[in-house]
Amino acid sequence: MVLLDPPQWRSAPQALPHWPYVQAVDDALTARSIPPGTVRAGHHGLERGLTTYMRLGWDVSRTSGHGGIRLDWQERKGWYFALTSIDSYDVLLYTVVTALRTPIADPERVADVAEELVRFRRVPDAEYREEWDGAREMRVAADDFRRSRLGLGPFTWPQESASGEREAGPGVQLTIDTQADTYEQALGALRAAYGRGPQR
């Protein structure tokens, strides 16, 4: 596996909240004898809510010979694929992987899709709804990662008092200067604070 660290990520890739998912997908692909030539994992900036992503690439030497394949994963949106020419930067088609019906799809189902693409340049005529068994933990880790980037501690549920009522804990205070901050800056800060990417 070749990992290309994005410029904004200065630490070890193992610290990325979705790194276990990246590894699980790569392991499933390797088990099918279709390991990608490149794997890129990182996170977007504040303007896109600090959401995580993964990009897998097979150049023409690893496919059926008609061109390259790329699989892109976005934390909130799920899986997309690209068909490229011999030049991997020449994208012929880029669209959503309709066969994968959940954003954090089971790695074996991702491998099913990748195998069809790599060997035959087509998407399987199927619908896969299985979610990865580590999806819940990854979502929590991703939310905590975003909070840490904003200088906040991990999220914790309020503690119940002896009477059974939840005690209010410290809240999040977000100050927006309406004279200096732009609408985009304010919206980006809000989306990052609540773990939401931009609406397209």
Side-chain angles (χ1 to χ4, degrees):
M1 178 173 75
V2 178
L3 177 71
L4 303 177
D5 295 325
Q8 71 269 29
W9 187 254
R10 307 296 183 190
S11 305
Q14 291 82 357
L16 288 164
H18 64 307
W19 185 249
Y21 188 47
V22 175
Q23 286 186 306
V25 170
D26 187 62
D27 289 346
L29 295 169
T30 301
R32 304 281 184 99
S33 300
I34 50 167
T38 58
V39 177
R40 181 172 182 151
H43 66 85
H44 296 295
L46 187 62
E47 73 283 356
R48 296 182 67 178
L50 298 172
T51 53
T52 57
Y53 69 85
M54 169 188 351
R55 177 172 289 180
L56 312 172
W58 293 261
D59 63 23
V60 68
S61 69
R62 293 172 179 261
T63 66
S64 57
H66 299 291
I69 303 290
R70 200 176 77 221
L71 272 175
D72 293 348
W73 174 81
Q74 303 274 346
E75 179 185 340
R76 301 290 184 192
K77 298 180 180 179
W79 289 92
Y80 293 76
F81 77 93
L83 301 180
T84 68
S85 66
I86 294 176
D87 178 355
S88 61
Y89 293 101
D90 183 14
V91 176
L92 306 175
L93 173 70
Y94 186 78
T95 188
V96 66
V97 179
T98 55
L100 298 173
R101 308 299 288 182
T102 180
I104 310 176
D106 182 84
E108 289 299 326
R109 303 294 73 80
V110 175
D112 288 339
V113 170
E115 191 165 18
E116 284 286 309
L117 283 168
V118 169
R119 301 195 192 285
F120 308 109
R121 289 177 74 82
R122 68 187 183 203
V123 176
D125 183 18
E127 288 189 359
Y128 303 124
R129 300 182 181 275
E130 300 98 318
E131 188 172 68
W132 179 47
D133 57 12
R136 183 178 182 279
E137 291 77 8
M138 196 203 79
R139 289 190 182 99
V140 171
D143 286 343
D144 286 345
F145 165 77
R146 282 184 279 272
R147 291 175 63 85
S148 71
R149 298 286 289 189
L150 294 168
L152 305 171
F155 178 80
T156 55
W157 290 101
Q159 299 294 317
E160 287 191 0
S161 64
S163 63
E165 296 180 355
R166 291 189 182 274
E167 296 178 354
V172 175
Q173 182 174 355
L174 182 64
T175 303
I176 298 173
D177 185 340
T178 57
Q179 300 298 316
D181 296 332
T182 67
Y183 172 78
E184 289 77 15
Q185 289 171 324
L187 194 57
L190 284 169
R191 285 174 175 156
Y194 290 96
R196 299 179 184 275
Q199 302 299 313
R200 297 290 183 187

